[in-house]
Amino acid sequence: MAYSETKVVLGGLAHIPIIIGFFYLIRRQYSFGAMLRTGKNALSEKIKTAPAKAAAPAKAAAPAKAAAPAKAAAKKPHADVPVNTYKPKAPFTGTVTENYSALKEGAIGKVQHITFDLSGGDPEFKYVEGQSCGILAAGEDAKGKPHRPRLYSIASTRYGDNFAGNTLSLCVRQLQYEKDGETINGVCSTYLCNLSPGDKVQISGPVGKEMLLPEEEDSNIIMLATGTGIAPMRAYLRRMFEPTEIEKHKWNFKGKAWLFMGAPKTANLLYDADFEHYKSKFPENLRYTKAISREQKNTKGGRMYIQDRVLEYAEEIFNMIENPKTHIYLCGLKGMEPGIDEAMSTAAAAKGLDWSELRPKLRKAGRWHAETY
Ligand code: FAD
Ligand code: A2P
């Protein structure tokens, strides 16, 4: 049977929807298979991701924009305090201007007050009260390597002992102990104690933000120091009560300061005359309580340590701690920490408080500052 040309064309055209339908079915089948294999439906993915895409910029932009000014306003306290201006690998070279004994006749051991000229640094070596610095003793260790730096609390204010803002002072006890019948001298403390004016010394830092003073003029400051732990406290007390300091910085301390100082003998009390002088000038603002371990006895007949004094004045100390403006600073022998903790626990318990809970809270609030070594 012969078909006309028109019939052939029309018949061919009639197959087109069938072919399209066939390809459509194959594509669908393939998509379904893929969905089964991956567990994902391309369409549902699109639906799910679409709003997310739209929301993303809003989510990122909106809170970020809102948070930025809040962050700037809540600038961390002491954010501007310099840290590590001079690293141990590239230290500053200071010059000794003074090195004298901080002890009186009859004292035990050797403790020196040492001052360094910091001028000429680029960048300048600046620090604030409560920071430490590193000292790199001259010479080499047993392996022929440079001595590792030792840390020392800075005993001067940012204005320095001469108020010119270009010096740094330390209070250093020479470490000495007996081993196998021989006297061993500490490397860095001996190096420092034996320096003479004009000597050049490698200094790194400043370091540390743990022991900084609060900025509020009406803060209360309780200080617990043993031996050279007095170094940062000397800087605080000069900042608070030294007339030229007050003129310089315009920070007029209005709170209560209470220094507890532990020393083996009266002759070992460091900077005692200065503190007595401040106390006589500012009796409303400064209390000064001494624990002289080898001259005074505690209630049990043992050596009088500062923790014994803490117990003696527990009631007043805790009344102060209850005030959120009160900060506590602890510095000196590592061994004093358990004793202080025990005394604080007893004192807290007498007020119905739990020291193990209170201490972390004080620390978190930035009111408990400890640096022991
Ligand atoms: P090293 O030669 O280093 O000898 C110390 C080592 O001797 C010890 O590690 C131990 O192994 C050994 N040793 C010590 N005693 C004995 C012993 N009785 N028996 C057997 N072995 C022993 N010191 C100050 O004088 N003033 C400060 O203001 C001051 N501030 C500090 C601040 C901070 C933050 C820190 C961490 C430490 C501070 N120190 C301070 C301590 C100082 O850093 C040194 O550790 C100290 O001067 C001793 O160093 P050295 O090089 O003389 O002794
Ligand atoms: P002591 O040596 O009589 O036992 P320095 O550094 O000038 O020697 O002063 C440290 C002071 O701290 C000394 O009076 C010393 O007393 C005292 N001390 C020693 N051990 C402790 C301790 N665990 N807790 C509190 N004070 C201590």
Side-chain angles (χ1 to χ4, degrees), residues 170-248:
L170 302 179
C171 176
V172 180
R173 162 175 282 283
Q174 183 186 20
L175 174 68
Q176 275 198 321
Y177 60 92
E178 301 295 319
K179 196 177 170 191
D180 305 328
E182 203 191 325
T183 301
I184 310 285
N185 294 323
V187 171
C188 195
S189 58
T190 303
Y191 162 74
L192 282 168
C193 288
N194 292 337
L195 288 168
S196 303
D199 285 348
K200 303 285 181 197
V201 175
Q202 310 261 279
I203 310 171
S204 61
V207 296
K209 287 194 175 185
E210 168 69 23
M211 297 289 284
L212 305 184
L213 279 177
E215 278 153 19
E216 294 75 24
E217 294 177 335
D218 59 348
S219 310
N220 301 311
I221 310 293
I222 298 175
M223 293 159 274
L224 309 171
T226 53
T228 53
I230 198 65
M233 281 61 168
R234 175 189 186 254
Y236 307 156
L237 292 166
R238 280 177 74 84
R239 184 159 170 82
M240 291 169 191
F241 303 118
E242 189 65 44
T244 316
E245 278 286 333
I246 298 166
E247 254 172 56
K248 283 252 170 200

Side-chain angles (χ1 to χ4, degrees), residues 173 226-228 262-264 268 293-294 303 305-307 333 335-336:
R173 162 175 282 283
T226 53
T228 53
N268 281 83
S293 57
R294 307 205 189 170
R303 287 181 179 179
Y305 286 162
I306 54 170
Q307 49 267 41
L333 295 176
M336 79 198 242

